[in-house]
Amino acid sequence: MKMKTLSLLLLAVMAQTAQAKDITIGLNSDPDALDPDTSTTMVGREVYTSLFDKLVDIDQQLNIIPMLATSWGWVDHNQGLVMKLRQGVKFQDGTDFDAEAVKFNLERSINLKGSRRKGELSVVKSVEVVDKNTVKINLTKPFIPLLAALADRAGMMVSPTAVKKEGDKFAQHPVGTGPYQFESRIAQDRIVLTKFKGYWDAEHYHFDKVTFLPLPDSTIRLANLESGQLDIAERVAPTDIEKVKSNPKLKVIEATSIGYNGIIFNLGYGANKDKDMAVKNPLVREAFEYAIDRNVINQVVFANQYIPDNQWVSTESDYHAPNLPVPQRDVEKAKALLKQAGYTNGVSIELMIANTSEATQIGQVIQAMAGEAGINIKLKTMDFATTLQVENKGEYEAYILGWSGRVDPDGNIYSFYGKGAPLNENGFDDEQVQSLLDTARTEQDVAKRKALYAQAMTRVTQLRPWIYLYHPKWQWAISSNIKHFTPFGDGMPRLRDVE
């Protein structure tokens, strides 16, 4: 009897020890500042998912679900959002999470010098504390996409106490309400988080320590996973997927991204506003689209792993417009369109790309296909950060660019197509599209919003300020020992229930 009891105790201890394991995740780059108000990187959001809770979150179907807010409702003709807050929640420094903390956070996001959340919260007029566990967000006008913004960095809550204590150095000692708290960071080497035992949902988080390692080379990330130095490696190269699948010690977990990649054309913006460029002619842009084959790009560059498409939302999104098929390649039609545009002997277009192997391959494939239709593509290559600066100044003609995507379609389009919007860096200005997007922002009825975005997408496919190419997949290679890791379209590694 004693031996049986001892064996049971030993098994229990072994199970507990096995469960209390550390986990190491390989990222494709080093995040910027660990402050949701000032950061811009995708990998930063991946770390934040463990460090900061948000007011609301999403499920795998991209529906808004409770997190720090347990319920909410629109009032005042959709110009007010009332949120009931989860009670008993603490920040990792012991500060209470309540309505005052929400007010502090949203006002910081709006007023902080250098905040990258100002645009997402530009319609917020005031934040009102109704009571300790209720907050009301008053808007200057109806803005239904606000909930989606609060499911991202604009809704991440930081400790008011820590902000007041650390000031500009908050990012060096970040404090949130998430399941894991900040321990240390060595730039370009690692970020270490430890389990926050006071977390309101702690029983669903099973690791004592989470370590993020920035490893920009996908081959090196995979090698580290194969050797056991990593438990999870993000953004595996599509050409390595079959290799991972053939390894019994590894597995692939994937989800279609809510983002997209495409080609943006300068229609008259910035430094090139008055420059005579062929891409300003809509017939040339149409010829460009008919000269390329999205399936060939997917096959040659991505081993058929990605999703060729011509829209700004995922093919799995409810907002993906029907009856807008991807145009098939037609070289003769492309040639005819060029002649119609006045380019009888062909045309030259400068295409800017980042100096990554992936962007270079895409550029070369497009260059080869377009050349057959009489479009001479001149590739202009530079590092990614510089391409963004060049785009911002308008010193480009065409540019291959990706967007990580947002839950609400407004986050994928308005900033690019709205007149004077922060990411409208090609000079697109169309009254019909503007009206449709403005109306969709104020419409709460989902069916009506779908119809509005479908009309806008139809118009955009005719004008082609962008040519959308594909939706990537978030492809994670993980050790077969990792259980219950669930992929989401926003690419965030959620560790709830992962063992």
Side-chain angles (χ1 to χ4, degrees):
M1 190 69 176
K2 288 182 179 180
M3 287 296 293
K4 182 178 180 181
T5 303
L6 184 61
S7 297
L8 289 172
L9 285 171
L10 181 60
L11 286 172
V13 170
M14 290 174 64
Q16 186 177 12
T17 302
Q19 190 180 44
K21 184 181 182 296
D22 299 343
I23 188 170
T24 303
I25 300 173
L27 303 177
N28 87 326
S29 62
D30 195 36
D32 53 357
L34 296 182
D35 182 342
D37 277 338
T38 61
S39 70
T40 60
T41 59
M42 172 71 186
V43 285
R45 293 163 67 202
E46 294 178 54
V47 175
Y48 298 164
T49 301
S50 293
L51 186 57
F52 303 108
D53 277 347
K54 301 167 289 188
L55 289 173
V56 291
D57 200 6
I58 61 169
D59 62 16
Q60 278 188 289
Q61 288 70 47
L62 307 183
N63 300 306
I64 304 293
I65 60 173
M67 199 169 200
L68 290 176
T70 56
S71 63
W72 51 87
W74 291 101
V75 298
D76 302 338
H77 305 288
N78 292 340
Q79 286 188 234
L81 179 64
V82 177
M83 309 189 86
K84 293 288 185 180
L85 306 178
R86 191 176 299 280
Q87 299 183 35
V89 175
K90 297 278 189 181
F91 286 97
Q92 294 144 359
D93 60 1
T95 302
D96 288 335
F97 168 76
D98 54 20
E100 289 287 355
V102 175
K103 176 179 171 67
F104 174 90
N105 271 268
L106 295 180
E107 290 179 347
R108 179 178 188 258
S109 296
I110 296 169
N111 299 318
L112 178 68
K113 183 179 179 180
S115 171
R116 300 304 185 99
R117 310 284 80 83
K118 290 181 181 180
E120 298 159 30
L121 300 174
S122 61
V123 296
V124 175
K125 180 170 62 176
S126 63
V127 184
E128 178 183 341
V129 174
V130 178
D131 58 45
K132 183 177 176 61
N133 301 303
T134 310
V135 67
K136 181 183 179 185
I137 305 172
N138 298 301
L139 310 180
T140 57
K141 57 185 177 181
F143 184 60
I144 302 305
L146 177 63
L147 274 171
L150 297 179
D152 206 317
R153 283 173 289 201
M156 293 180 181
M157 298 289 104
V158 303
S159 167
T161 303
V163 170
K164 293 171 184 175
K165 176 183 176 182
E166 299 293 341
D168 294 340
K169 296 181 179 180
F170 172 78
Q172 298 176 25
H173 305 280
V175 179
T177 65
Y180 295 95
Q181 60 190 16
F182 180 79
E183 179 181 281
S184 62
R185 178 180 191 177
I186 302 174
Q188 305 298 329
D189 182 73
R190 66 187 58 228
I191 296 171
V192 180
L193 310 180
T194 55
K195 185 172 182 178
F196 174 37
K197 295 180 180 179
Y199 186 57
W200 59 270
D201 197 27
E203 64 185 32
H204 288 280
Y205 290 83
H206 306 301
F207 300 106
D208 289 336
K209 182 181 293 185
V210 182
T211 301
F212 296 94
L213 301 182
L215 299 167
D217 189 308
S218 62
T219 301
I220 293 176
R221 282 201 303 281
L222 182 55
N224 274 262
L225 180 69
E226 292 172 325
S227 68
Q229 301 302 306
L230 296 177
D231 299 295
I232 298 176
E234 69 142 345
R235 285 183 257 193
V236 179
T239 50
D240 284 333
I241 292 299
E242 291 305 317
K243 178 182 179 182
V244 176
K245 289 181 177 179
S246 66
N247 188 333
K249 295 182 179 180
L250 306 178
K251 54 187 174 181
V252 176
I253 304 293
E254 63 182 22
T256 301
S257 171
I258 58 178
Y260 55 77
N261 280 61
I263 302 171
I264 179 175
F265 297 105
N266 192 333
L267 309 183
Y269 168 79
N272 286 347
K273 182 178 181 179
D274 300 318
K275 185 177 180 180
D276 183 20
M277 297 186 297
V279 297
K280 291 182 178 180
N281 189 321
L283 292 173
V284 172
R285 300 196 297 273
E286 185 176 1
F288 195 116
E289 181 164 34
Y290 279 107
I292 63 175
D293 188 328
R294 293 168 173 83
N295 292 312
V296 170
I297 296 172
N298 187 37
Q299 179 182 1
V300 174
V301 184
F302 302 114
N304 286 321
Q305 292 293 320
Y306 288 176
I307 313 294
D309 192 36
N310 62 337
Q311 297 190 36
W312 56 49
V313 292
S314 162
T315 53
E316 297 182 8
S317 169
D318 289 340
Y319 288 96
H320 193 268
N323 305 318
L324 284 176
V326 177
Q328 299 300 304
R329 188 183 189 220
D330 189 331
V331 174
E332 293 307 312
K333 185 170 184 176
K335 291 179 178 178
L337 286 164
L338 287 180
K339 289 181 180 179
Q340 187 180 344
Y343 295 98
T344 306
N345 298 318
V347 66
S348 293
I349 295 174
E350 184 179 77
L351 179 61
M352 182 170 67
I353 60 174
N355 61 352
T356 64
S357 58
E358 181 179 287
T360 300
Q361 289 180 66
I362 296 172
Q364 290 172 344
V365 171
I366 290 175
Q367 185 181 51
M369 289 190 289
E372 295 178 7
I375 301 174
N376 176 32
I377 299 293
K378 298 178 180 178
L379 297 178
K380 180 181 180 181
T381 306
M382 59 191 72
D383 69 270
F384 178 63
T386 303
T387 64
L388 293 178
Q389 295 171 9
V390 170
E391 182 203 15
N392 180 258
K393 295 177 182 177
E395 298 172 342
Y396 73 99
E397 188 171 4
Y399 174 32
I400 293 178
L401 182 63
W403 179 246
S404 59
R406 299 295 182 264
V407 175
D408 190 281
D410 181 87
N412 275 9
I413 49 179
Y414 197 93
S415 288
F416 297 96
Y417 293 136
K419 186 175 182 178
L423 296 177
N424 186 338
E425 296 176 334
N426 70 339
F428 179 74
D429 183 8
D430 184 77
E431 290 185 6
Q432 182 180 338
V433 172
Q434 182 76 50
S435 176
L436 290 165
L437 298 184
D438 284 340
T439 304
R441 284 186 145 192
T442 66
E443 181 55 66
Q444 192 172 359
D445 185 277
V446 174
K448 291 180 180 178
R449 289 191 86 211
K450 288 180 184 178
L452 290 164
Y453 285 126
Q455 291 177 61
M457 188 70 245
T458 301
R459 177 70 172 163
V460 166
T461 57
Q462 295 167 351
L463 299 176
R464 298 176 178 84
W466 281 68
I467 292 178
Y468 299 98
L469 297 175
Y470 61 88
H471 300 289
K473 286 183 181 178
W474 293 119
Q475 294 176 308
W476 302 81
I478 69 175
S479 166
S480 57
N481 294 327
I482 298 296
K483 309 297 181 184
H484 314 305
F485 182 83
T486 305
F488 284 69
D490 63 358
M492 299 300 108
R494 292 164 171 82
L495 297 180
R496 191 177 193 273
D497 292 324
V498 178
E499 300 180 38

